[in-house]
Amino acid sequence: MAETILHIENLSKAFVRSIKTARKKDAIEKISLLNHLDLTVEKGKITALIGGNGSGKTTLFNIINGFLDADQGSIKFINGRIHELLGKKPDTIARLGLGRSFQDNHIFDELSILENMLVAGKETFGETPFVSLFSPGRNRKIEKQKTERAKTIIENIFGSGNYFWQHKAEKAKNLSHGQRRILGLLRIFMADFKLVLLDEPTTGVNPEFFQSITDILNRMVNENKMSVFLIEHNMGFVKQVAHNCHFIHDGCIRASGTPAEVIDNPLVRNTYLGF
Amino acid sequence: MLLQLLINGIVNGAIYALVALGFAIVYNTTRIFHIAYAVIYMVAPYFVYTFFDKLGFNIWISAILAIILTIVVSLVMELIVYKPLSKKNSSGNVIMISSIGLMIIAINLVALFYGNDTKILHRDISDSIRFGQLIITYSQLLQFGGSLLLITGFIFFLKFSKFGIKTRAMRDDEPLCRVFALDTFRFRNYLFALSAVFAGTGGILVAWDVGMDPYVGMPMLLNAIVALIIGGVGKFHAPIVGGFIIGILQSVVIWKFSANWMEGVTFTLLILFLVFRPQGLFGEKQRLV
């Protein structure tokens, strides 16, 4: 039995909204999105989560990293010690070693490529204006180390003389969608996360970048000892990179196993893939 | 005559730029439309008045103590009003209305303690330097120098320090900052403190020249907001340029027409910008879809 890094038990989440009924009375409509969901993510593996639109994949990610509250259940993050994640703030969870990417491109548009890399990181040094102002020596040293680190990370993937490092002073908003996507993934290396949640890493990306993304994910797991939990709609990509796969439907996990097993599951074929 | 007015305009513009930059520090990063910022600008000289005129402290010590107290006022606003509202994900309008309420309460409190009348910080006429026809008072030099020092200092700080990078990161994408372990609410305390330094310094410098009453904050805030909008929301150097444009424009208006038209022309400029170039001078067009 492999080691577990994330263990979710009995997790439920409902969105409540008030609606006007035909008789003009206020009523409450409850949409139950996650229903007593249980899920385990193994340490050092790439785990994929698949499921239809609106099945709660991104909501699950938002609950895990603290953007949303859950109604009940528990999320245990095991990183040396066992941490209960429910009720913690996103920045606290990030400090514990859990990072994520977003479905749409979230990037610091007005920051340069290098600054985008430097700003990621768990150390809080330089967050206060006074320290920033009065210890420039130490500041510069840390900055230099981080710049060196960013260079290594980029060169490990793309070799020396690559596009990103040559254009490191360029503002990130000038990059193409696929390049921004990749910058978002590279930035994760800077932060020493133990588990990263990736929300559809290949969406809207030119297939020529798929190989780079695959390289990055493999490097995260093999070299940097991270665990990856990703949402993906591209089944070919899931088969290629993932070790484990979960299928979410009607608010809970309906099928688990290797990607091939899950994709061949009749329920997955009928309700999601449709062939 | 024109040159003299131009100089007056540039000095006023420096103050507008300073105050607008303080507003931008809060608005660009937190999206809080901080109307109560007018109070920050207004209370700082009252603190100086207390220490300098009432208690007889040295002027520099009074000014430093006043800035510290102003920072406290700013943090109290953030901690008791903005932070709880932001944590509840209140809409920007709710926060703005609360901010207006906060401003009215604070103005009334100041009026209660100090009275509604105009107070002046010192009675002697400011010395001046003459260059032929031109007259520049020491107060004006102080206003210009003080503003310029803070503004350039901040711009370098923003560009080169880690705090600056994090401030710009927060301007670009707040949730992403949280994902990368930035405690955004703690960071906001520093931003509110910094904006209080800007508004407080501006308020003291102006009050040293012309005195103050509890209602000086709002007109200055409106000018600062116009400076921010015509410069371009979301950019830190934009309100500086906007501030100087308004300062110089107002001087020209006083010269050509009369001081009564000053505000009218400022807001005409605002509306022209909102209609024809809503993104401001330095802003970029937003994609519609």
Side-chain angles (χ1 to χ4, degrees):
Chain A
M1 184 64 194
E3 258 186 286
T4 306
I5 190 155
L6 188 74
H7 188 64
I8 302 175
E9 235 174 43
N10 198 22
L11 188 74
S12 294
K13 171 77 184 171
F15 286 103
V16 177
R17 63 170 185 180
S18 53
I19 48 165
K20 294 238 188 282
T21 58
R23 287 157 65 199
K24 302 240 163 158
K25 271 189 156 177
D26 282 338
I28 280 176
E29 187 186 41
K30 201 172 167 190
I31 302 161
S32 200
L33 198 57
L34 301 178
N35 236 329
H36 306 290
L37 179 139
D38 299 311
L39 184 145
T40 302
V41 177
E42 283 179 22
K43 192 173 180 178
K45 295 275 168 63
I46 299 177
T47 306
L49 178 67
I50 60 172
N53 287 330
S55 58
K57 301 186 297 298
T58 299
T59 305
L60 178 64
F61 272 24
N62 283 341
I63 293 173
I64 296 174
N65 99 307
F67 280 141
L68 287 174
D69 288 331
D71 299 334
Q72 60 158 324
S74 84
I75 302 176
K76 300 258 189 304
F77 176 52
I78 302 136
N79 175 20
R81 286 175 44 214
I82 299 175
H83 304 279
E84 172 62 54
L85 297 186
L86 282 184
K88 287 199 169 68
K89 293 187 300 167
D91 48 280
T92 317
I93 291 173
R95 256 172 242 277
L96 290 176
L98 195 152
R100 74 168 289 180
S101 77
F102 293 90
Q103 191 171 351
D104 42 348
N105 264 329
H106 273 252
I107 217 140
F108 300 115
D109 278 327
E110 298 283 334
L111 266 57
S112 72
I113 292 175
L114 179 61
E115 284 171 341
N116 258 286
M117 299 287 283
L118 294 182
V119 88
K122 284 192 290 188
E123 100 296 337
T124 51
F125 183 76
E127 240 170 61
T128 59
F130 294 113
V131 175
S132 229
L133 206 55
F134 293 120
S135 55
R138 200 177 144 210
N139 239 326
R140 209 168 303 136
K141 203 174 144 204
I142 293 180
E143 204 81 352
K144 210 176 158 191
Q145 283 169 357
K146 289 186 85 175
T147 309
E148 210 46 49
R149 176 117 191 265
K151 190 179 176 198
T152 317
I153 287 167
I154 295 176
E155 285 186 348
N156 275 341
I157 309 278
F158 296 103
S160 54
N162 62 74
Y163 180 89
F164 285 100
W165 196 250
Q166 279 172 2
H167 295 77
K168 62 180 187 288
E170 189 121 346
K171 282 188 178 177
K173 65 179 172 188
N174 297 334
L175 294 174
S176 77
H177 181 87
Q179 288 168 329
R180 285 146 64 97
R181 205 83 211 169
I182 285 178
L183 179 60
L185 291 174
L186 291 173
R187 193 170 48 193
I188 287 172
F189 285 102
M190 293 295 290
D192 287 322
F193 291 130
K194 292 291 172 265
L195 171 65
V196 281
L197 315 176
L198 304 178
D199 200 342
E200 304 192 13
T202 66
T203 301
V205 171
N206 187 330
E208 96 186 47
F209 284 117
F210 276 24
Q211 192 52 48
S212 302
I213 295 178
T214 310
D215 287 349
I216 290 172
L217 293 186
N218 284 329
R219 187 167 279 276
M220 279 180 177
V221 174
N222 297 332
E223 317 276 318
N224 295 62
K225 306 295 172 214
M226 293 187 214
S227 312
V228 175
F229 186 27
L230 57 90
I231 294 174
E232 193 48 71
H233 281 294
N234 183 333
M235 290 307 127
F237 185 74
V238 169
K239 268 188 175 166
Q240 198 190 336
V241 300
H243 305 107
N244 298 317
C245 183
H246 298 289
F247 171 62
I248 184 173
H249 184 65
D250 283 341
C252 55
I253 302 296
R254 291 303 182 86
S256 299
T258 65
E261 282 168 12
V262 173
I263 290 168
D264 280 336
N265 185 309
L267 180 79
V268 179
R269 290 202 163 267
N270 290 334
T271 55
Y272 174 49
L273 298 174
F275 58 85
Chain B
M1 190 60 184
L2 178 63
L3 207 55
Q4 178 71 57
L5 280 165
L6 210 61
I7 288 169
N8 294 351
I10 288 171
V11 171
N12 285 340
I15 293 286
Y16 291 150
L18 180 71
V19 177
L21 189 56
F23 186 80
I25 290 172
V26 168
Y27 183 72
N28 285 350
T29 51
T30 66
R31 305 286 151 196
I32 291 172
F33 208 79
H34 188 17
I35 304 274
Y37 185 68
V39 171
I40 309 287
Y41 173 84
M42 175 269 289
V43 296
Y46 275 99
F47 288 135
V48 174
Y49 176 75
T50 310
F51 290 120
F52 180 63
D53 288 72
K54 296 283 170 202
L55 301 176
F57 284 26
N58 171 293
I59 179 61
W60 294 104
I61 293 172
S62 308
I64 289 167
L65 287 175
I67 298 278
I68 291 170
L69 283 180
T70 312
I71 291 174
V72 172
V73 172
S74 183
L75 287 178
V76 166
M77 286 176 176
E78 152 74 356
L79 293 177
I80 66 171
V81 181
Y82 297 138
K83 188 176 170 185
L85 285 174
S86 298
K87 280 207 162 158
K88 282 200 288 186
N89 276 332
S90 305
S91 77
N93 289 341
V94 170
I95 296 180
M96 190 175 90
I97 301 285
S98 330
S99 186
I100 294 176
L102 203 57
M103 178 189 75
I104 291 170
I105 294 167
I107 287 178
N108 285 343
L109 278 177
V110 169
L112 198 67
F113 283 112
Y114 294 98
N116 272 322
D117 52 324
T118 302
K119 294 269 189 293
I120 47 172
L121 288 175
H122 65 125
R123 300 201 168 272
D124 26 302
I125 293 168
S126 182
D127 288 333
S128 55
I129 311 170
R130 281 178 171 276
F131 298 104
Q133 294 276 303
L134 298 176
I135 302 170
I136 303 171
T137 65
Y138 279 123
S139 302
Q140 280 184 318
L141 273 181
L142 204 61
Q143 283 178 20
F144 185 70
S147 307
L148 218 60
L149 202 68
L150 272 179
I151 291 170
T152 45
F154 180 72
I155 291 299
F156 274 102
F157 196 44
L158 199 63
K159 179 79 186 143
F160 296 110
S161 78
K162 284 195 71 176
F163 181 82
I165 297 183
K166 288 195 166 156
T167 307
R168 284 182 288 143
M170 182 116 159
R171 184 252 333 257
D172 280 354
D173 200 326
E174 200 209 331
L176 193 57
C177 285
R178 304 177 77 188
V179 166
F180 282 104
L182 180 68
D183 187 343
T184 45
F185 281 107
R186 208 180 65 190
F187 197 73
R188 270 167 60 155
N189 294 343
Y190 300 125
L191 295 171
F192 272 91
L194 213 56
S195 87
V197 172
F198 282 60
T201 311
I204 293 169
L205 287 172
V206 171
W208 184 255
D209 199 13
V210 298
M212 71 279 187
D213 63 49
Y215 308 99
V216 291
M218 202 58 195
M220 178 53 87
L221 176 73
L222 289 175
N223 281 320
I225 291 172
V226 176
L228 181 67
I229 291 172
I230 68 173
V233 171
K235 306 276 179 194
F236 285 106
H237 61 278
I240 304 168
V241 179
F244 280 107
I245 290 177
I246 293 182
I248 292 168
L249 182 77
Q250 288 184 349
S251 292
V252 174
V253 170
I254 294 174
W255 178 45
K256 285 281 181 195
F257 308 102
S258 94
N260 298 335
W261 284 89
M262 206 169 79
E263 304 276 290
V265 169
T266 310
F267 283 90
T268 310
L269 185 71
L270 172 71
I271 288 169
L272 285 177
F273 260 92
L274 285 176
V275 172
F276 293 107
R277 201 179 161 81
Q279 72 271 34
L281 284 174
F282 298 100
E284 279 152 37
K285 270 207 167 119
Q286 298 282 318
R287 267 171 68 162
L288 290 176
V289 276

